[in-house]
Amino acid sequence: MRIERLRLSNFKPYPDTDLRLERGVTVIHGLNGSGKSSLLEACFFALYGSSALSGTLEDVITNGEEECEIELWFAHGDGSYHIERRVRFSGERAQTATCVLETPDGAVDGARDVERSIENLLRMDSDAFVNCAYVRQGEVNKLIHARPGERQDMIDDLLQLGTLEEYRERVSEARLGVNDVRADVQGSLREIETQIEEKEGKELPALLNDLETELGEIEGEIERFEGNKRNAERTREEALEVLDTHEGTRERIASLDEEIEAIRESIAETEGDREKLGEQLTETRKRIGDLEERRDELVGESEIERADEEVITERKAVLESDLEDCRESIREASLDAQKAKSDAHSKKETAEDRESRTKELREERETLESEIAESESTLEERREAREALTERIEERQKRFSAAPVECGEAEDWLAELREEREGLRERETECRASLESAHEAVSAGEQLLEAGKCPECGQPVEESPHVDALSDRRERVSELEDDLTALREERDSLDGRVERAESLSKIETEIERRKEKRETLSELLSDREDGLRKKRERVSDLEERAEELETEANEKHESAAEARERAEEAQKRITELDDRRTAVEKRITLVERLSEALSDLDAARERVSTIRDRREGFEALNDERRERLVEKRDRKSELEAEYDRERIEQARTNKQEAETYLEDVEPKLEALGEQEESLRDRIGGVKRELDSLESLRERRERVQKKLDSLESLYGEAEQLQEMYARLRSELRQRNVEQLERMLNETFDLVYQNDAYAKLELTGEYELTVYQKDGSPLDPEQLSGGERALFNLSLRCAIYRLLAEGIEGAAPMPPLILDEPTVFLDSGHVSKLVDLVESMRRLGVEQIIVVSHDEELVGAADDLVTVRKDPTTNRSAVEHGEELLAAE
């Protein structure tokens, strides 16, 4: 695997960074706290998500931002891959909004699926990645400090041996599960055999034969009684048929009696109606005489020539036409009057409005004249204030005459001085930290020297080649103290210049503020003068408009008086027309009454004719009814002759006997039916038990086969568990031999001296260092630098073993070292350089080293420098060629 490109947006201190990484050794260099390790953390987070973080998702987003984005491009095997992660705040918590892995076979979406794909691709989870390829800051001694059991688990997991142990444990759990199932199946088999024995003891076939014989006898009895029941029901039906026939004859005779009586009543009722119609005929003829007298009176009053409907209609049409003319004239006169009144009212309101507006305009003119006088006084005061500001500005500008910068340049000068001071402070901090480390090294060396041991490696003085290193450390302390004193003096001098620049910056700010105020005051004066001119023009316009409105008001008053006169004339015409309309309406009423009288007279004559017709109809109806009455009486006589009383009595007797038998036989049949049902239930129960017995026998056979299979499976699981344990032991021994060989090769490459003979690694991953005289030494007894190199050698050996594999090469992630010089002095840093070079010679495609140590820069094929802006706390990266171009 090789990391090709990393792009960050708002990730920790990086607002926007795009970094490309090449093959070979890449050194990421920069001051402490500049954000170098954050670049490695971004790569680790892109691959493994939140499991790669020591904190929470909120920690990866730059302070003050809502979301961050991380994109990682890498090559693995023959394929290219791209991961994109986007984290954003949702409320107070951060969540993964986007997580996509683009592979040669397609895209994988979702954080869980992406992390699972990365683990399968690299053949390691996040913990294995840290233990093998990624040596994080402060964890260089992690493996040597770990207990043998922990070290065994770490290395076994890296070499995939932990998977074999996991398989063995799974097989063990499966074997226990099979044993539990086997015990359950054995219990089920015993229970089934017990049930079979109980059912076989009941002799179910003989019991079924006895019950079926008894059922046949009961069914014969039921069939005999049901035959007698059917005969009785047939006798009862025949008797009912005879009774129903004679009952129908009797009912028809009774019905004929009712019909004869109804016809008699209808004849009498119709004769009564005929007499009433005769009385109505007499009354109608009298009403006709009264209506003729009323007609003659109305003809005289209405001045019509004759009582004819056509003449009446023509007269009414003429009168209605006159009435409509009167009403139309009244409407026109009313509209004229209303219009005249409205016109008068409107013109009066317009005149009053013009008078009111005239008054308002003259009041506004007086107010403006007063404001003009006040504004002229204020303008003079503003002009004097502007002159005073100009004098104060010129006075402040004179203070720059002796300054090292011109007015307007003080702020930039101050920023340059502060940046220079910040650089001095960083250098002073680094120098102070180096001085403290040097003091501690001298103190530790003096203590070891007093104890008769080498101040560098802790060995006896007479056997150690490093005794003279203590004087070098004391000289280093003296040099650092001189450098620190010079830096403090330079900083004190710079502080005075910063104070001078701050004073000039404040004066410059005050000058700018006063200039802005003067500009604002000038603009205000210009605006006020324009406003004063507009107000004078407004006064003149108001006076002209007031005079025009006053003339319009007088004209409107005259027009309103003329409109009121027109309204009074129209009202007089309305009164005359109203009298004429009333006279016409009276004549129309007389004509309408005459028309109604003629209509009533015609209706009365028509009623006389109708009554006569109805009386004749009633007479014909009664004649018809009398003929039907004779027919009903003849039919009644015929039916009375057909009625046979002896046959009816015999049918009643037969019906009674049949019903008595049916009542007696029903309980007997019900009892026999209950016996039959009970026997059938018992027979069904016996058959079900026989079916259950057969089912139990089949089930016993199936359970026995299942038990045999479980016995075989239990034995196979036990053999598989032993095989996994044996295989893990054999593979671990092969790995230990390979790892021990590679560890010695790597340690010899970086630490060639006469002090140590070899390194030993046991099957339990216990580490031992053997000195030249053959005496063993625990790795904890090595000096700090030697111990760090020993651990780095062990990590590199593990990396080589995984990369080369047991049977051949396997693709591996880059070798990543984060601040590996933390525990190394200057002498051992060169050994680290040799280690990096040796890993490159052994074929490691990409090595990434993060360090602030200048000596590691020389080992780099590609140099990346990280810088942090002290004012914004934001970091940026630059490649080596970019740095050369900038210089």
Side-chain angles (χ1 to χ4, degrees):
M1 172 190 174
R2 178 172 58 84
I3 297 175
E4 296 178 334
R5 180 183 173 193
L6 175 67
R7 193 189 71 80
L8 304 178
S9 176
N10 296 328
F11 181 87
K12 292 196 173 182
Y14 292 96
D16 187 11
T17 295
D18 195 340
L19 175 63
R20 294 184 182 272
L21 298 173
E22 304 297 334
R23 288 182 172 84
V25 179
T26 298
V27 174
I28 301 176
H29 182 263
L31 298 176
N32 286 333
S34 60
K36 303 183 297 299
S37 298
S38 296
L39 294 174
L40 302 183
E41 292 172 3
C43 297
F44 194 26
F45 174 67
L47 291 171
Y48 292 99
S50 58
S51 59
L53 299 176
S54 57
T56 63
L57 282 177
E58 290 80 5
D59 299 334
V60 305
I61 301 177
T62 303
N63 291 336
E65 302 295 337
E66 291 296 320
E67 66 177 26
C68 75
E69 292 184 12
I70 304 96
E71 289 186 82
L72 183 70
W73 288 263
F74 65 93
H76 185 75
D78 297 329
S80 296
Y81 298 81
H82 172 222
I83 297 179
E84 178 184 1
R85 289 183 185 267
R86 183 162 61 89
V87 180
R88 67 181 179 190
F89 275 104
S90 178
E92 295 182 355
R93 298 188 62 184
Q95 296 180 347
T96 300
T98 302
C99 184
V100 179
L101 168 63
E102 296 177 2
T103 74
D105 299 326
V108 180
D109 194 3
R112 293 179 183 270
D113 292 339
V114 168
E115 289 160 23
R116 192 178 301 113
S117 298
I118 290 296
E119 290 177 3
N120 293 334
L121 184 67
L122 302 183
R123 300 188 306 167
M124 59 181 68
D125 58 13
S126 59
D127 291 336
F129 189 87
V130 169
N131 290 330
C132 169
Y134 180 17
V135 182
R136 291 197 289 194
Q137 185 172 348
E139 295 184 359
V140 70
N141 291 329
K142 181 178 180 180
L143 280 174
I144 198 172
H145 289 322
R147 293 191 298 272
E150 295 174 347
R151 190 182 304 120
Q152 175 179 313
D153 291 339
M154 292 180 191
I155 299 176
D156 277 357
D157 287 343
L158 289 173
L159 299 175
Q160 306 297 313
L161 297 184
T163 305
L164 291 176
E165 178 62 19
E166 181 181 346
Y167 290 165
R168 189 190 68 79
E169 292 176 355
R170 288 181 184 176
V171 172
S172 176
E173 292 174 359
R175 183 173 62 84
L176 294 175
V178 169
N179 188 47
D180 293 341
V181 175
R182 182 180 64 174
D184 293 340
V185 172
Q186 289 172 344
S188 298
L189 183 60
R190 287 193 296 271
E191 183 179 352
I192 292 170
E193 290 175 343
T194 301
Q195 293 176 4
I196 290 174
E197 291 174 0
E198 290 177 357
K199 291 186 182 296
E200 289 176 344
K202 293 180 180 180
E203 298 182 352
L204 295 174
L207 177 60
L208 178 63
N209 186 49
D210 294 342
L211 291 173
E212 288 178 343
T213 301
E214 186 178 355
L215 177 62
E217 295 173 357
I218 294 296
E219 287 176 343
E221 284 291 308
I222 290 173
E223 185 177 357
R224 184 173 62 82
F225 279 111
E226 285 183 343
N228 294 337
K229 179 183 176 184
R230 286 192 293 272
N231 291 334
E233 288 175 343
R234 187 164 50 252
T235 300
R236 184 182 61 181
E237 293 299 326
E238 292 173 352
L240 286 173
E241 184 178 355
V242 172
L243 291 173
D244 289 343
T245 301
H246 286 80
E247 182 66 22
T249 302
R250 190 184 65 77
E251 289 177 354
R252 285 196 293 275
I253 292 172
S255 176
L256 286 171
D257 286 337
E258 293 176 357
E259 291 176 359
I260 290 169
E261 184 62 28
I263 291 172
R264 286 175 178 170
E265 292 176 356
S266 298
I267 291 172
E269 184 179 352
T270 302
E271 286 296 324
D273 292 339
R274 191 166 176 274
E275 291 175 0
K276 291 178 181 179
L277 288 173
E279 294 174 358
Q280 293 177 7
L281 183 60
T282 302
E283 292 176 358
T284 304
R285 286 171 177 165
K286 180 180 178 183
R287 176 167 172 72
I288 289 172
D290 295 338
L291 289 172
E292 288 175 345
E293 292 178 1
R294 176 63 177 162
R295 176 195 63 190
D296 295 339
E297 291 176 1
L298 290 172
V299 167
E301 293 177 1
S302 59
E303 300 177 355
I304 295 178
E305 297 176 358
R306 64 180 184 278
D308 184 79
E309 188 66 34
E310 184 177 354
V311 175
I312 292 172
T313 301
E314 291 177 357
R315 179 62 176 167
K316 184 179 179 182
V318 172
L319 291 172
E320 287 178 345
S321 177
D322 292 344
L323 180 61
E324 185 61 30
D325 291 341
C326 289
R327 287 174 177 167
E328 183 63 28
S329 299
I330 290 172
R331 281 195 294 271
E332 291 176 357
S334 297
L335 288 173
D336 292 341
Q338 185 177 1
K339 182 178 179 182
K341 289 179 181 178
S342 177
D343 194 15
H345 182 70
S346 175
K347 285 182 168 38
K348 181 181 178 182
E349 287 183 344
T350 302
E352 292 174 351
D353 178 64
R354 296 296 186 272
E355 290 173 348
S356 174
R357 291 179 61 190
T358 300
K359 182 178 179 183
E360 291 173 356
L361 290 173
R362 285 179 174 158
E363 289 176 353
E364 184 181 354
R365 184 200 63 188
E366 293 174 359
T367 302
L368 285 173
E369 289 174 346
S370 176
E371 291 176 358
I372 288 169
E374 293 177 0
S375 297
E376 289 175 346
S377 175
T378 303
L379 280 174
E380 187 60 32
E381 293 175 359
R382 300 287 185 185
R383 292 189 187 98
E384 294 175 357
R386 182 176 61 183
E387 293 299 326
L389 278 173
T390 301
E391 293 176 359
R392 285 195 290 271
I393 289 171
E394 293 173 352
E395 179 185 350
R396 295 295 188 277
Q397 288 176 338
K398 291 178 180 179
R399 298 188 182 182
F400 278 88
S401 59
V405 293
E406 297 293 332
C407 181
E409 300 174 356
E411 186 66 28
D412 294 338
W413 186 42
L414 177 60
E416 293 174 0
L417 292 175
R418 285 175 174 170
E419 184 177 356
E420 184 179 351
R421 183 173 62 180
E422 187 63 28
L424 279 174
R425 286 176 177 171
E426 291 180 0
R427 289 166 57 194
E428 183 180 349
T429 301
E430 292 176 3
C431 185
R432 188 182 299 109
S434 299
L435 181 59
E436 290 175 0
S437 299
H439 275 301
E440 291 174 359
V442 169
S443 176
E446 289 175 345
Q447 292 175 2
L448 288 170
L449 194 59
E450 290 175 2
K453 295 182 179 180
C454 174
E456 183 172 356
C457 62
Q459 298 178 3
V461 173
E462 60 275 8
E463 299 178 5
S464 174
H466 309 296
V467 178
D468 297 334
L470 185 59
S471 60
D472 294 339
R473 294 179 184 177
R474 292 192 180 105
E475 291 177 2
R476 178 61 176 164
V477 168
S478 177
E479 292 173 0
L480 289 172
E481 287 175 346
D482 294 341
D483 292 345
L484 183 60
T485 301
L487 287 171
R488 286 172 176 168
E489 291 174 356
E490 186 176 354
R491 187 194 61 188
D492 293 340
S493 174
L494 191 58
D495 286 341
R497 290 158 62 197
V498 169
E499 290 177 3
R500 173 63 172 157
E502 287 174 346
S503 174
L504 291 175
S505 178
K506 290 179 181 178
I507 295 172
E508 188 176 84
T509 302
E510 183 181 358
I511 290 172
E512 289 300 323
R513 189 174 63 253
R514 293 185 184 277
K515 284 182 178 179
E516 290 174 0
K517 187 174 181 181
R518 182 179 63 181
E519 184 66 24
T520 302
L521 191 57
S522 297
E523 292 175 358
L524 181 61
L525 283 170
S526 178
D527 292 342
R528 290 290 178 86
E529 288 171 352
D530 290 343
L532 191 60
R533 177 179 51 78
K534 291 178 181 178
K535 285 181 180 180
R536 291 193 182 99
E537 293 174 355
R538 176 64 176 162
V539 168
S540 177
D541 293 341
L542 288 172
E543 182 57 32
E544 291 177 3
R545 183 57 180 157
E547 292 175 356
E548 292 174 359
L549 290 173
E550 189 173 21
T551 302
E552 288 181 15
N554 293 332
E555 293 173 354
K556 295 297 181 182
H557 278 304
E558 293 175 0
S559 298
E562 293 174 358
R564 283 195 294 270
E565 291 176 0
R566 291 197 304 272
E568 291 173 358
E569 292 175 359
Q571 191 62 42
K572 290 178 182 179
R573 286 201 312 276
I574 291 171
T575 302
E576 294 172 357
L577 289 169
D578 195 45
D579 293 341
R580 179 184 168 192
R581 183 193 63 186
T582 302
V584 173
E585 287 175 346
K586 287 180 179 179
R587 287 196 292 273
I588 289 174
T589 301
L590 289 173
V591 172
E592 289 175 347
R593 288 177 182 174
L594 177 58
S595 178
E596 291 173 359
L598 291 176
S599 298
D600 292 343
L601 185 58
D602 292 339
R605 288 171 180 165
E606 182 68 26
R607 180 171 175 73
V608 168
S609 176
T610 300
I611 291 172
R612 284 175 182 167
D613 293 340
R614 290 185 65 192
R615 289 186 82 241
E616 292 173 358
F618 283 157
E619 186 176 3
L621 181 61
N622 273 347
D623 292 341
E624 181 184 350
R625 287 171 178 167
R626 289 185 183 97
E627 292 176 359
R628 286 166 51 205
L629 182 61
V630 172
E631 292 174 358
K632 298 289 183 184
R633 285 172 178 168
D634 293 343
R635 178 59 180 160
K636 177 183 176 185
S637 298
E638 293 173 358
L639 290 173
E640 286 176 345
E642 295 176 359
Y643 194 69
D644 189 352
R645 295 186 182 277
E646 291 181 0
R647 188 180 178 190
I648 292 172
E649 287 299 326
Q650 183 61 44
R652 285 175 179 166
T653 301
N654 292 341
K655 174 178 174 290
Q656 182 65 35
E657 291 175 353
E659 288 178 347
T660 301
Y661 180 79
L662 290 172
E663 290 176 359
D664 293 338
V665 79
E666 195 63 40
K668 183 64 176 175
L669 285 172
E670 185 176 347
L672 290 171
E674 290 176 357
Q675 292 179 24
E676 180 189 22
E677 184 67 25
S678 174
L679 285 171
R680 290 187 184 279
D681 289 343
R682 291 176 63 191
I683 289 170
V686 172
K687 288 182 176 179
R688 284 193 296 274
E689 288 205 38
L690 285 170
D691 293 340
S692 176
L693 178 59
E694 184 63 25
S695 176
L696 285 170
R697 287 169 179 163
E698 294 174 356
R699 184 180 170 197
R700 177 178 61 185
E701 184 177 352
R702 291 195 303 271
V703 172
Q704 184 62 51
K705 290 180 180 179
K706 183 177 181 181
L707 181 60
D708 294 341
S709 299
L710 288 170
E711 293 284 358
S712 175
L713 182 61
Y714 182 82
E716 291 173 1
E718 194 170 18
Q719 294 174 4
L720 186 60
Q721 183 178 356
E722 294 173 356
M723 184 269 289
Y724 277 132
R726 185 172 61 256
L727 180 60
R728 182 187 182 194
S729 177
E730 293 173 358
L731 289 176
R732 178 186 293 165
Q733 185 58 40
R734 291 173 63 188
N735 288 333
V736 166
E737 293 172 0
Q738 289 275 63
L739 185 59
E740 184 181 40
R741 177 179 60 78
M742 292 181 178
L743 176 59
N744 278 285
E745 290 176 359
T746 305
F747 194 70
D748 289 343
L749 282 172
V750 301
Y751 204 80
Q752 299 174 355
N753 62 20
D754 297 329
Y756 308 114
K758 66 173 182 175
L759 305 176
E760 183 181 72
L761 181 65
T762 67
E764 285 72 32
Y765 295 103
E766 292 184 353
L767 293 164
T768 306
V769 180
Y770 285 93
Q771 300 183 80
K772 289 296 184 179
D773 59 2
S775 59
L777 187 68
D778 190 281
E780 291 286 350
Q781 295 177 292
L782 298 175
S783 68
E786 290 172 338
R787 192 162 56 246
L789 285 176
F790 176 84
N791 276 279
L792 288 171
S793 300
L794 178 58
R795 299 293 283 267
C796 291
I798 293 172
Y799 183 92
R800 282 184 58 196
L801 180 61
L802 291 175
E804 295 178 8
I806 300 300
E807 301 297 338
M812 285 290 291
L815 179 61
I816 303 172
L817 305 177
D818 188 1
E819 294 289 1
T821 63
V822 171
F823 300 101
L824 303 179
D825 55 22
S826 58
H828 288 103
V829 170
S830 60
K831 301 294 185 180
L832 176 61
V833 174
D834 294 339
L835 176 61
V836 172
E837 290 291 341
S838 68
M839 292 302 291
R840 178 165 57 177
R841 288 194 301 272
L842 289 170
V844 179
E845 185 177 11
Q846 188 177 46
I847 302 174
I848 302 173
V849 182
V850 167
S851 177
H852 63 278
D853 198 297
E854 296 289 345
E855 190 170 350
L856 284 174
V857 174
D861 298 318
D862 186 24
L863 177 63
V864 176
T865 300
V866 179
R867 301 187 187 280
K868 176 177 282 189
D869 187 340
T871 59
T872 62
N873 269 342
R874 298 293 185 262
S875 299
V877 298
E878 297 175 351
H879 269 283
E881 57 270 18
E882 296 172 354
L883 291 171
L884 293 173
E887 292 174 357

